[in-house]
Amino acid sequence: MGAPRHFLDISDFDAATLNGILSQARAMKQARKGWPKGLREADEPLKGRMLALIFERPSTRTRVSFEVGMRQLGGETLVLSSNDMQLGRGETIADTARVLSRYVDAIMIRAARHSNLTELAEAATVPVINGLTNLTHPCQVMADVMTLEEHVAPLKNLTVSWVGDGNNVAASWIHAVGRLGGTLKIGTPKELAPDPQVMAWARAQGARVQVMTSPEEAVSGSHCVITDAWVSMHDTDAASRHNLLKPYQVNKRLMAAAGPDAKFMHCLPAHRGEEVTDEVMDSASSLVFDEAENRLHIQKSILLHCLGPK
Ligand code: CP
Ligand code: NVA
């Protein structure tokens, strides 16, 4: 038996593999145009396969898009909250991985700590998918790249701006630019700059990633402005983050600094009036709901990458 085909981080894959996953997602999305949402793909490529979804943190999009996507491919899902598992009473992640591998064909985890994801993947004999950790959110950024390429152009020809917290979604964006090309300008307070290890990885790749403190400078000449919550699920320092990030709100004024054609993206959930204003969220430039939809299409393609024929 070969090693399981995990989907842990964008940095684990070369451009050809990532572009293959993106183009399969586009084709599947196109093929479903006009179908009722609940319908399954006729060939049910994952018929009889079971995906376990472990949540150590809450979710709307990740849960629903994986559940619906797996069913559309003919497979089934089991949703497990870590609080209701023996994991919550101290059973190790590795033992949990070994047990679940005997029952299910793949495991998606939304992990409280990145090490929970990597320990699960090391011990599992079935593919493990990263559904967000404190450090990265690769399924989200694959959906973001798909969305931007649908609306604008291939990422390698684009300049993208990240404004706000240099968090888990920002780290996966750094990985995406490192692997697929393009320029990423990150405007963030010094205290919330991206993980130094991820930045060192970007430098070693020769990735075009620039970090600056000015949000205006970060958005100038940009094709798309992206932001995220000021306080992520694992953060405990809400008050100081609000103070540091107030000048990084994406509002009409900042979008104007980016230029008239710049798009806006946010992985959601958004905190309207904090990191983004209603006028930007609800503007014609906003791609946020296409981004949410594309979680479904890209994750179906990721599931086929992990579980499909070799
Ligand atoms: N963007 C995202 O992952 O949303 P959920 O937290 O609702 O899954
Ligand atoms: N950065 C956010 C993303 C939520 C989907 C968080 O980790 O809470």
Side-chain angles (χ1 to χ4, degrees):
M1 198 175 60
R5 270 182 285 172
H6 300 312
F7 189 82
L8 302 184
D9 271 313
I10 290 174
S11 51
D12 298 337
F13 300 97
D14 58 21
T17 306
L18 296 170
N19 281 319
I21 292 172
L22 284 160
S23 80
Q24 177 165 246
R26 276 192 294 273
M28 286 195 293
K29 179 176 182 178
Q30 190 57 34
R32 288 187 69 88
K33 286 261 157 71
W35 289 15
K37 290 192 180 63
L39 226 61
R40 296 181 168 206
E41 260 75 0
D43 56 341
E44 300 201 336
L46 297 186
K47 191 177 172 63
R49 305 292 193 96
M50 179 67 77
L51 171 70
L53 302 166
I54 304 178
F55 287 97
E56 296 190 301
R57 297 280 190 231
S59 163
T60 298
R61 280 143 287 268
T62 303
R63 174 177 173 167
V64 177
S65 54
F66 267 109
E67 287 216 65
V68 170
M70 192 63 183
R71 281 167 172 71
Q72 287 183 356
L73 295 170
E76 294 180 63
T77 55
L78 273 175
V79 178
L80 306 164
S81 157
S82 58
N83 292 331
D84 302 331
M85 298 170 74
Q86 297 289 10
L87 254 182
R89 292 184 58 248
E91 184 167 19
T92 68
I93 300 262
D95 286 347
T96 304
R98 293 181 186 111
V99 171
L100 290 184
S101 296
R102 303 291 180 105
Y103 300 137
V104 303
D105 300 284
I107 305 168
M108 189 240 56
I109 182 167
R110 168 158 287 188
R113 282 189 300 277
H114 199 80
S115 56
N116 293 359
L117 168 79
T118 51
E119 282 171 32
L120 191 80
E122 260 164 48
T125 55
V126 299
V128 171
I129 299 173
N130 177 355
L132 178 147
T133 73
N134 57 322
L135 298 186
T136 57
H137 196 2
C139 292
Q140 179 65 55
V141 172
M142 288 294 283
D144 294 358
V145 172
M146 179 179 172
T147 309
L148 198 56
E149 294 193 336
E150 255 172 16
H151 284 270
V152 191
L155 178 61
K156 62 179 193 301
N157 300 332
L158 299 180
T159 295
V160 173
S161 306
W162 179 272
V163 177
D165 185 16
N167 65 11
N168 44 5
V169 181
S172 287
W173 259 107
I174 294 169
H175 288 158
V177 166
R179 286 295 184 235
L180 294 170
T183 299
L184 178 64
K185 293 165 76 182
I186 302 175
T188 182
K190 278 196 293 296
E191 295 84 343
L192 299 176
D195 183 344
Q197 276 184 3
V198 178
M199 287 306 298
W201 176 89
R203 276 191 296 277
Q205 302 303 308
R208 291 193 297 274
V209 178
Q210 304 154 22
V211 182
M212 54 207 81
T213 52
S214 158
E216 288 78 14
E217 199 187 322
V219 303
S220 85
S222 177
H223 294 97
C224 184
V225 177
I226 315 174
T227 193
D228 189 10
W230 287 346
V231 183
S232 281
M233 290 182 271
H234 53 272
D235 290 325
T236 49
D237 48 348
S240 78
R241 288 172 160 273
H242 275 258
N243 283 336
L244 286 167
L245 288 164
K246 232 174 234 137
Y248 293 82
Q249 182 185 69
V250 180
N251 48 34
K252 229 160 95 179
R253 187 192 49 77
L254 192 67
M255 287 303 291
D261 298 326
K263 306 291 185 195
F264 171 72
M265 294 208 292
H266 188 310
C267 65
L268 307 181
H271 305 77
R272 289 168 177 258
E274 294 183 11
E275 74 271 9
V276 60
T277 56
D278 285 337
E279 62 201 6
V280 173
M281 272 287 283
D282 302 328
S283 70
S285 313
S286 172
L287 305 181
V288 298
F289 299 111
D290 285 349
E291 235 183 308
E293 177 185 335
N294 283 338
R295 291 291 302 277
L296 171 67
H297 306 295
I298 200 73
Q299 285 161 197
K300 285 168 69 180
S301 187
I302 291 169
L303 285 165
L304 289 176
H305 167 82
C306 294
L307 286 171
K310 299 209 178 190

